[in-house]
């Protein structure tokens, strides 16, 4: 028997009587669900917050948020990372805009249509460590309207950030520090720089350049890269599996030291894949 509760916000859980009791809120009313096993699948941002509100996490973080420490696991909310992404761009020329409009009128114009995988000079094993792909749009309500962007992402990422609760309130915004391009070796930003060189070469190719206008965003300095870096929609790692002191889950996704609590989402990944998660 399967029961699905919509519009429900998971708050926290307690391990009791050989099982787990989850407290939640649904349309203003309290909901309590008892089970033998609780599977957390709220993603790299949401799963560590449920654990922390339940008193599972770094004691210093929990105390600062006003939560009683039930089970110390310092790795909860740490190791959060993503593929950092920036772009090179140009304005759209009239001929290309007409082609985009014609494609949109026919009912088929994806913003993304292809993906390139490249190997930078920083690759540690000779395998690709960059994604490069173009995006554009005809819809005038789109942020991409009037421009062509070539996105560049480092996908063998070294930088690590955090996500933690700010209070016991499940509706409160969490504390998120992505720390993109922060690794001490400067690996991630070096890969991004190389990717931007490739992106500019593509945009300057005569066949493409004849359809484009001027550069919109100047990405020729490290400061510009840091000012514009964004996520690539692949957050991971904030409840990493492993056996070390910062590991949260074992190889089956079971939370270390807790019976009946399992994590099943990309927060498990200690190191993000070199692809969409």
């Amino acid at each position: 028997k399967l029961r699905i509760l919509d519009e429900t916000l998971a708050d926290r859980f307690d391990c009791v009587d050989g099982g787990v009791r989850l407290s939640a809120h649904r349309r203003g009313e309290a909901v309590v669900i008892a089970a033998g096993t609780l599977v957390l699948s709220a993603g790299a941002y949401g799963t560590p917050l449920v654990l922390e509100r339940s008193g599972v996490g770094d004691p210093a973080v929990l105390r600062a948020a006003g939560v009683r420490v039930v089970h110390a696991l310092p790795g909860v909310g740490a190791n959060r990372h993503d593929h950092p992404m920036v772009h090179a761009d140009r304005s759209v020329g009239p001929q290309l805009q007409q082609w985009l409009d014609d494609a949109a009128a026919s009912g088929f114009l994806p913003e993304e249509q292809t993906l390139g995988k490249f190997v930078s000079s920083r690759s540690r094993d000779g395998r690709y460590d960059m994604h490069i792909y173009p995006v554009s749009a005809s819809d005038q309500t789109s942020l991409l309207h009037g421009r062509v962007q070539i996105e560049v992402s480092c996908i063998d990422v070294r930088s690590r950030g955090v996500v933690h609760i700010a209070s016991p309130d499940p509706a409160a915004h969490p504390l998120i520090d992505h720390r993109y391009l922060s690794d001490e070796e400067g690996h991630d930003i070096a890969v991004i720089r190389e990717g931007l060189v490739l992106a500019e070469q593509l945009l300057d190719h005569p066949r493409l350049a004849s359809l484009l206008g001027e550069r919109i965003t100047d990405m020729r300095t490290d400061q510009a890269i840091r000012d514009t870096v964004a996520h690539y929609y692949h957050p991971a790692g904030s409840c990493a599996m492993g056996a070390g002191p910062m590991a949260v889950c074992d190889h089956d996704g079971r939370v270390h030291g807790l019976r009946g609590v399992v994590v099943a989402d990309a927060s498990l990944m200690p190191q993000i894949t070199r692809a969409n998660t």
Side-chain angles (χ1 to χ4, degrees):
K1 183 178 180 180
L2 174 65
R3 183 185 181 196
I4 298 174
L5 299 181
D6 63 350
E7 299 181 44
T8 302
L9 176 62
D11 184 356
R12 67 200 71 200
F13 63 83
D14 300 290
C15 296
V16 292
D17 302 326
V20 184
R21 183 175 59 206
L22 175 71
S23 299
H25 304 277
R26 184 171 189 252
R27 301 173 185 170
E29 295 185 0
V31 177
V32 177
I33 302 169
T37 300
L38 170 67
V39 179
L40 294 174
S41 188
Y45 291 107
T47 289
L49 304 184
V50 177
L51 286 167
E52 289 182 338
R53 287 195 297 269
S54 305
V56 180
D58 185 333
V61 170
L62 300 180
R63 294 189 186 106
V67 173
R68 180 176 66 90
V69 180
V70 174
H71 181 56
L73 270 183
V76 173
N79 193 53
R80 197 229 70 90
H81 56 296
D82 195 345
H83 300 134
M85 185 171 70
V86 299
H87 67 263
D89 59 25
R90 299 288 190 274
S91 61
V92 175
Q95 178 62 75
L96 178 55
Q97 187 62 60
Q98 184 60 57
W99 288 343
L100 291 171
D101 292 343
D102 291 346
S106 73
F108 183 74
L109 182 63
E111 291 185 347
E112 307 170 25
Q113 297 186 47
T114 190
L115 174 68
K117 301 176 181 181
F118 293 83
V119 180
S120 80
S121 66
R122 293 296 191 104
S123 175
R124 52 186 163 184
D125 53 14
R127 295 188 296 145
Y128 66 86
D129 57 353
M130 282 190 285
H131 277 181
I132 296 180
Y133 64 95
V135 294
S136 61
S138 182
D139 184 355
Q140 294 189 16
T141 64
S142 170
L143 294 175
L144 294 170
H145 183 258
R147 67 171 64 196
V148 168
Q149 294 181 182
I150 294 185
E151 307 290 348
V152 174
S153 180
C154 168
I155 59 170
D156 184 19
V157 60
R158 312 290 173 83
S159 302
R160 294 295 188 270
V162 297
V163 53
H164 293 301
I165 57 170
S167 85
D169 181 359
H173 291 292
L175 302 173
I176 301 173
D177 186 353
H178 293 109
R179 298 179 187 169
Y180 293 131
L181 313 180
S182 65
D183 63 290
E184 292 182 359
E185 300 82 8
H187 167 272
D188 296 351
I189 195 169
V191 174
I192 291 288
R193 283 193 216 104
E194 290 190 26
L196 284 170
V197 170
L198 290 171
E200 292 289 347
Q201 290 174 349
L202 291 169
L203 290 167
D204 288 339
H205 188 283
R207 291 190 180 182
L208 186 54
S210 65
L211 299 169
L212 302 177
E214 298 299 314
R215 176 186 287 113
I216 299 172
T217 309
D218 190 342
M219 297 294 293
R220 288 174 289 187
T221 67
D222 283 1
Q223 190 58 53
I225 293 172
R226 294 186 183 280
D227 288 344
T228 58
V229 66
H231 63 88
Y232 187 14
Y233 333 117
H234 307 148
S238 53
C239 293
M241 64 168 57
M246 296 298 287
V248 176
C249 303
D250 68 11
H251 62 284
D252 288 322
R254 296 172 296 195
V255 177
H256 287 304
L258 295 183
R259 184 176 179 179
V261 182
V262 178
V263 173
D265 57 39
S267 65
L268 282 171
M269 297 179 179
Q271 171 68 37
I272 195 170
T273 56
R274 300 193 200 193
N276 298 39
T277 50

